[in-house]
Amino acid sequence: MKSVAILGSTGSIGTQAIEVACMHGLRVTALAANTNVDKLVEQAKRLRPQILCIADASRYPQLKEAAAGLGCRLLAGIEGLCEIAADDSTEILLNSVVGMVGLRPTLAAIAAKKPIALANKETLVAGGALVMDAAAKNGVPIYPVDSEHSAIFQCLQGNRRSQLKKIILTASGGPFFGKTRAELADITVEQALQHPNWSMGSKITIDSATLMNKGLEFIEARWLFDLTPDQIEIVVHRQSVLHSAVVYDDDSMIGQMGVPDMKIPIQYALLYPDRLPCPTKPLSLTDYGTLTFAKPDYDTFDCLTACIRASEMGGSAPCVANGANEAAVAAFLARKIPFLQIGKLVNAAIDALPVTELTCFEDVAAADAQARAFVAEHLHM
Ligand code: MG
């Protein structure tokens, strides 16, 4: 059986991936967490991986103590994540870390010719050109884990890519669908963390509330499927049952449906092209009865607009949008800025900072740092 290394193993995607791996007898050879040493070691006791890594290197002594006697190779920091990505024992890498920090491990896996199940969308938003060029050169497949991109990937199977007309990227609309900007002015952190359909980590839940998440996915889709901006139509679909669709030249629309459960796309990425029983509920269309579709409100949700603009600007602009958003979301979660300030800062950052070409990791890191510095300086603009 295949062996899988999981970066972000204690997060929402990571824990569900472990469930899928156990169900199908995949060997889990490496686990990496950001900060949660206790949960990481508990997973290690159960799964007996060869390697454990804590991304927050300041917690390495804690890991060393807690994992004593487990016989695992212990690593720390971004170097540890990259070492796992390229390790001989890794047959497929699941990258489900949150944020730009996932980019270097993705590049390390590609350099070592390891297939990637990619749940870290910021990797493609910030360094899309770099990642896709390197993956093509090394013949490394990237299997999308994001539910929408998995849906599109599934709908492309058995059809001619050259006859693809466009894609329909569905959006749940988040917890604030239908609200006006005036109603969003006083949204609290607690309100923004309540998502109607998906249970996820806090960063992506805020991104879903601002629709930044859909903007990031717009950019991610462009890179994964080599699309122009006008080939992507975003449709709000409140039930999160149609996970996305593709339209071919004959105007046939093919979609992928299922209950909103990440285990389906995680499993498809890990077991591709196999379709085996999944530990999830089957979809009953009659239980839902009605599925609805609407246009997004681009004026209210200006993070979405910012991402589409950044995507059209090209070069470093998407990386700037992502970096500004990561910094702004952290400030919102720390209760330093109001909810609507996130979109204001992301838009201001892409307008203020120069668009440059990103040809190496250092270029990406520099654009990202510039965006974060801009947000820090203009927090209360
Ligand atoms: Mg998604």
Side-chain angles (χ1 to χ4, degrees):
M1 250 330 206
K2 202 151 51 169
S3 71
V4 56
I6 303 177
L7 306 185
S9 69
T10 58
S12 167
I13 298 288
T15 50
Q16 295 181 80
I18 289 173
E19 203 181 321
V20 167
C22 290
M23 177 165 175
H24 296 293
L26 300 184
R27 273 187 310 127
V28 178
T29 49
L31 295 171
N34 186 22
T35 56
N36 196 338
V37 170
D38 291 345
K39 193 163 175 186
L40 179 66
V41 170
E42 178 207 305
Q43 290 176 335
K45 284 180 178 157
R46 202 152 39 89
L47 300 163
R48 293 294 167 158
Q50 298 169 23
I51 311 174
L52 282 183
C53 174
I54 191 78
D56 175 357
S58 72
R59 294 175 199 244
Y60 183 71
Q62 198 191 331
L63 175 66
K64 223 172 152 184
E65 197 186 318
L70 284 177
C72 301
R73 179 147 54 103
L74 302 180
L75 304 172
I78 183 79
E79 283 72 23
L81 300 179
C82 293
E83 195 172 327
I84 287 175
D87 195 80
D88 281 345
S89 65
T90 300
E91 281 175 14
I92 182 165
L93 177 76
L94 172 66
N95 186 351
S96 59
V97 305
V98 178
M100 226 298 271
V101 64
L103 179 56
R104 273 188 58 202
T106 295
L107 293 172
I110 293 171
K113 297 193 162 53
K114 308 287 185 183
I116 303 167
L118 188 64
N120 173 240
K121 63 189 77 183
E122 294 90 344
T123 284
L124 283 178
V125 173
L130 224 57
V131 170
M132 296 314 285
D133 284 355
K137 266 187 208 128
N138 287 333
V140 171
I142 296 179
Y143 303 114
V145 171
D146 214 340
S147 61
E148 295 80 358
H149 304 77
S150 172
I152 293 157
F153 181 63
Q154 293 182 53
C155 295
L156 291 172
Q157 303 301 313
N159 289 288
R160 288 188 204 282
R161 172 62 186 80
S162 59
Q163 293 164 356
L164 177 72
K165 189 172 173 179
K166 64 176 205 170
I167 67 164
I168 309 290
L169 187 67
T170 54
S172 74
F176 305 137
F177 174 74
K179 295 245 188 287
T180 63
R181 287 187 73 81
E183 288 169 320
L184 294 180
D186 301 320
I187 288 296
T188 64
V189 170
E190 288 70 25
Q191 287 169 315
L193 285 175
Q194 298 295 322
H195 194 278
N197 301 341
W198 298 97
S199 132
M200 307 171 288
S202 58
K203 197 266 178 178
I204 185 171
T205 304
I206 300 302
D207 286 349
S208 298
T210 59
L211 293 203
M212 182 74 191
N213 184 53
K214 207 49 54 182
L216 296 175
E217 289 181 355
F218 180 98
I219 301 167
E220 185 187 7
R222 282 197 65 189
W223 288 114
L224 278 173
F225 307 113
D226 192 21
L227 301 164
T228 56
D230 61 344
Q231 283 181 297
I232 307 175
E233 180 182 351
I234 298 172
V235 173
V236 176
H237 164 49
R238 296 293 285 157
Q239 297 80 19
S240 299
V241 166
L242 175 67
H243 296 304
S244 277
V246 304
V247 181
Y248 287 97
D249 285 338
D250 61 355
D251 278 311
S252 233
M253 186 184 292
I254 299 179
Q256 185 261 335
M257 300 168 90
V259 291
D261 186 328
M262 286 306 295
K263 287 191 279 295
I264 299 174
I266 291 168
Q267 176 171 310
Y268 193 67
L270 292 181
L271 302 183
Y272 175 83
D274 278 326
R275 292 188 178 276
L276 302 180
C278 185
T280 186
K281 243 178 47 184
L283 170 64
S284 162
L285 288 175
T286 50
D287 280 358
Y288 280 90
T290 306
L291 298 180
T292 60
F293 301 95
K295 286 190 174 141
D297 177 351
Y298 291 101
D299 296 328
T300 301
F301 296 96
D302 57 350
C303 280
L304 177 58
T305 323
C307 286
I308 296 171
R309 286 203 300 123
S311 183
E312 283 162 353
M313 289 159 80
S316 56
C319 177
V320 166
N322 178 68
N325 180 62
E326 285 193 33
V329 169
F332 172 68
L333 286 171
R335 297 163 207 272
K336 288 182 189 158
I337 56 169
F339 183 74
L340 288 176
Q341 191 71 0
I342 301 172
K344 210 169 154 188
L345 285 164
V346 174
N347 274 286
I350 59 171
D351 286 332
L353 298 176
V355 176
T356 56
E357 284 310 309
L358 305 178
T359 55
C360 60
F361 173 77
E362 286 68 29
D363 291 349
V364 177
D368 176 72
Q370 260 197 328
R372 288 167 197 267
F374 178 88
V375 167
E377 281 159 31
H378 297 85
L379 213 51
H380 303 290
M381 63 181 282

